[in-house]
């Protein structure tokens, strides 16, 4: 059984003070233990949010990580630094691929670095609108998944979280349909996992949908057995909408 997971990617939003208030409101409003909840604040808010979450079941994640443990990499944050605070780290988000030119090889090294230090990667994959319109969704998602995970052992792979985030659905208010997300996840994400690591790993990895998720549309995704939850952007910035998504997920998966 895979535990449902709802992760909030705050992106470049919330000061430490604002993040603390948001995390406190989420902690106080949380009414389920069946859904695992992960908050991914910007680096500068991580210690403050960590303090608010002490003693709760809510987990912390970072939004990026470097592949080396230490050294002359100005502006970067290493997995050794993160593991004092976080259990999870988002790797390969499309905004990092697009604006910061992260490629599959960098993403592969980041996944390995995270695992080396006991951080759980939330690996993001997804096609652009042009790729979708060219009929390339399947090959893009399969290739991104394969290249990020090459060299992992089946045991390492089984602990991963993968988020399928079609780029055209991110921040646009235009979510994928549940049927579309289900098809891509089952056939191209889990299918690639099965090719690489076998059916047991393909069944054990948690796979999320991301892209314009709201309390109103979350059930459409999580009612499908292959979709274990969501990676939420905009709607994770308000306690009310984020809690709505969590509670709808608990209901749908019950
Ligand atoms: P939105 O929920 O704002 O579309 O963002 C999705 C996302 O990119 C989460 O990582």
């Amino acid at each position: 059984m895979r535990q449902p997971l709802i992760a909030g990617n705050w992106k470049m939003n919330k000061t430490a003070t604002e993040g603390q208030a948001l995390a406190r409101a989420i902690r106080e409003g949380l009414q389920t233990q069946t859904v695992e909840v992960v908050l991914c604040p910007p680096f500068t808010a991580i210690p403050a949010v960590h303090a608010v979450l002490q003693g709760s079941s809510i987990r912390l994640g970072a939004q990026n990580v470097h592949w080396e443990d230490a050294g002359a990499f100005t502006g970067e944050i290493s997995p050794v630094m993160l593991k004092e605070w976080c259990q999870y780290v988002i790797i390969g988000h499309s905004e990092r691929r697009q604006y910061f030119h992260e490629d599959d090889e960098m993403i592969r090294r980041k996944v390995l670095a995270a695992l080396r230090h006991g951080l759980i990667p939330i690996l993001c994959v997804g096609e652009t609108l042009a790729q979708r319109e060219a009929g390339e969704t399947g090959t893009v998602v399969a290739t991104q998944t394969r290249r990020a995970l090459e060299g992992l052992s089946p045991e390492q792979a089984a602990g991963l979280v993968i988020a399928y985030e079609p780029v055209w659905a991110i921040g646009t208010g235009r979510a994928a349909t549940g049927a579309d997300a289900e098809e891509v996840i089952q056939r191209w994400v889990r299918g690639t996992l099965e090719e690489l690591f076998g059916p047991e790993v393909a069944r054990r990895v948690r796979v999320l949908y991301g892209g314009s998720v709201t309390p109103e549309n979350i059930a459409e995704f999580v009612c499908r057995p292959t979709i274990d939850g969501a990676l939420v952007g905009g709607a994770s910035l308000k306690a009310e909408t984020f809690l709505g998504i969590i509670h709808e997920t608990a209901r749908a998966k019950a």
Side-chain angles (χ1 to χ4, degrees):
M1 273 300 285
R2 303 185 302 259
Q3 188 184 11
L5 170 61
I6 298 293
N9 175 9
W10 295 2
K11 307 193 180 182
M12 197 173 71
N13 296 289
K14 305 293 178 187
T15 63
T17 312
E18 291 165 348
Q20 218 160 12
L22 176 56
R24 191 173 294 119
I26 292 166
R27 179 178 183 163
E28 286 169 359
L30 188 63
Q31 285 172 7
T32 174
Q33 294 297 319
T34 61
V35 176
E36 185 175 6
V37 177
V38 180
L39 307 184
C40 303
F43 291 126
T44 46
I46 285 176
V49 170
H50 183 270
V52 166
L53 298 182
Q54 285 282 353
S56 87
S57 61
I58 301 174
R59 308 292 192 92
L60 255 177
Q63 299 173 20
N64 186 24
V65 66
H66 195 263
W67 56 80
E68 295 288 345
D69 292 355
F73 299 100
T74 301
E76 293 294 314
I77 304 281
S78 87
V80 179
M81 298 165 182
L82 288 181
K83 75 175 174 189
E84 289 192 332
W85 308 100
C86 298
Q87 294 81 36
Y88 286 87
V89 59
I90 297 171
I91 295 177
H93 192 280
S94 64
E95 287 150 16
R96 298 222 49 94
R97 294 180 193 254
Q98 185 182 349
Y99 303 129
F100 304 99
H101 311 292
E102 287 193 14
D103 60 26
D104 290 326
E105 175 57 15
M106 294 161 77
I107 290 163
R108 190 185 69 82
R109 293 168 77 177
K110 289 179 178 206
V111 168
L112 283 171
L115 290 169
R116 192 164 68 234
H117 293 289
L119 291 163
I120 302 173
I122 302 176
L123 169 69
C124 299
V125 298
E127 82 287 0
T128 63
L129 185 59
Q131 289 165 334
R132 167 158 289 247
E133 285 174 346
E136 295 168 0
T137 299
T139 42
V140 167
V141 169
T143 304
Q144 287 177 347
T145 304
R146 180 176 297 108
R147 293 206 178 133
L149 304 183
E150 263 162 3
L152 263 59
S153 68
E155 294 70 35
Q156 286 177 313
L160 286 174
V161 175
I162 299 182
Y164 168 55
E165 299 206 309
V167 178
W168 47 270
I170 295 177
T172 58
R174 189 183 152 211
T177 65
D180 255 358
E182 177 180 48
E183 146 102 14
V184 175
I185 288 171
Q186 187 59 33
R187 183 153 169 217
W188 301 107
V189 179
R190 293 198 193 278
T192 304
L193 290 170
E194 181 163 350
E195 269 175 38
L196 291 172
F197 305 110
E200 172 64 18
V201 171
R203 264 195 305 276
R204 276 176 56 193
V205 169
R206 286 187 292 178
V207 186
L208 314 178
Y209 166 76
S212 297
V213 168
T214 65
E216 290 72 36
N217 68 17
I218 182 68
E220 160 79 358
F221 300 101
V222 292
C223 69
R224 297 161 198 271
T226 199
I227 306 181
D228 298 307
L231 182 55
V232 184
S236 74
L237 297 175
K238 287 205 173 104
E240 189 189 347
T241 45
F242 192 58
L243 287 165
I245 289 168
I246 296 164
H247 295 143
E248 285 297 323
T249 300
R251 239 191 304 277
K253 292 292 190 193

